Amino acid sequence: MCRNLAKQHVDDPDVPAAPSGAGGYAEWVQIALILYRVELEKSLRESEDYLNEMPGVLAVFGLDEAPHYSSFCRWENEYRMRELRRLLRASAEQAGWSGEAAIDASGFQRDQTSYHYRDRANYSFQSMKTTILIDVNSLAIKDVHYTTQKAWDGHIGMQVFRRNAEDLRVLSADANYSWSDLREECRSESTRPLIKHREQTPLQKAHNARMNEDYNQRWMSETGFSQLKEDDGEKLRSRSWHGQFRELTRKCIIHNLTQAAS
C-alpha cells in the first residue's frame, strides 16, 4: 500500500525503482520507503539492515538491495509538508472518507531531544500540540495541525475547517472549540456544526442537550489518537520542530493505510 500510494502521487509511476545510470532512486521509491519505515518503527541503520535481510520485501519495491541509511535521512528531510499533506488526503480517501468528521487535540512528547538542544533552539514546550480532523466512521485522518506555541482551539479549528470545508458534511467538536464565528463559517459552507456550547446559560444547556445523540461519535477522535500513540508512539524521534511535524504526518498516513487494509 505504501508503494501504490507513492505511485499514485508521482507524475511518472512507471520509472524503474533504481534507474540504470541515474545514480539514485525513483521518486516513488523514496516516498514509499520513508512511509514504510514508519511501519517498521526502526532506526535508520536498523531499517537498512532489516530490508537487506528481507529480499521479499525489497522485491515489492523493485529493489535488489536496501538504500544506505543516510539516504533515508536525506529523503525524510527533502519531502516537505505540502507534499505530505497531499499524501495524507489521498490516504484518507483510500481509508474511506464519509464527510462526518471530528476535530480534537492531544500532545506528543518531545523528550527525544536533549535539554541542551531544547534550550539552544528556544523550545517553549516539551509537548507538541497536535490537532487532527478524523472521520468518525472510518477513523481516517484527513488533516493535521501542529503548534509548539499557546494557541486557542477555536482559531485552530477555523484554520483546519477552511482547508477542508468542501469535504465536510458534519463537524463535531467539544466545548474548547465553541466559537460563534466557527459555527457560522460551517453553516455558510453547508456543514452541520456539532460543536458543544460552554454551558453558561440555560439556552446553551438546551442546545447541548439537543445535539447529544448525534454528538456521541465525537469520541472516535480519541480512538484515533490512541492508535497513533500505540507502541510508544507518543515520543518523537526528530529533533527539529519541522522534522517532528513531518514525522507525525507520516504516522498519520500509515494510520490511514492501516485502516484501509483492515
Side-chain angles (χ1 to χ4, degrees), residues 89-102:
R89 289 192 289 271
S91 65
E93 294 295 338
Q94 289 191 15
W97 183 257
S98 69
E100 298 181 13

Side-chain angles (χ1 to χ4, degrees), residues 188-201:
S188 69
E189 297 291 340
S190 301
T191 300
R192 183 188 178 191
L194 287 177
I195 304 173
K196 283 285 189 176
H197 294 262
R198 297 184 184 278
E199 295 188 346
Q200 298 173 334
T201 67

Side-chain angles (χ1 to χ4, degrees), residues 86-184:
R86 287 174 55 201
L87 285 164
L88 180 62
R89 289 192 289 271
S91 65
E93 294 295 338
Q94 289 191 15
W97 183 257
S98 69
E100 298 181 13
I103 188 170
D104 202 5
S106 184
F108 282 79
Q109 297 303 313
R110 313 169 80 187
D111 294 340
Q112 289 294 116
T113 56
S114 67
Y115 286 102
H116 172 70
Y117 180 85
R118 269 182 278 176
D119 291 339
R120 186 158 49 89
N122 196 27
Y123 279 5
S124 55
F125 296 97
Q126 292 186 15
S127 63
M128 183 166 64
K129 184 176 181 178
T130 303
T131 304
I132 61 173
L133 181 69
I134 186 168
D135 193 285
V136 296
N137 297 309
S138 66
L139 291 183
I141 299 174
K142 187 71 172 284
D143 199 1
V144 286
H145 179 282
Y146 309 110
T147 181
T148 58
Q149 309 285 328
K150 287 184 177 180
W152 182 44
D153 288 335
H155 290 158
I156 294 174
M158 180 72 84
Q159 184 176 342
V160 172
F161 173 75
R162 285 174 172 169
R163 283 202 298 254
N164 301 276
E166 62 183 13
D167 298 320
L168 288 172
R169 294 189 295 110
V170 178
L171 179 65
S172 302
D174 61 26
N176 291 325
Y177 297 86
S178 181
W179 187 23
S180 59
D181 288 3
L182 178 55
R183 292 189 181 91
E184 289 303 317

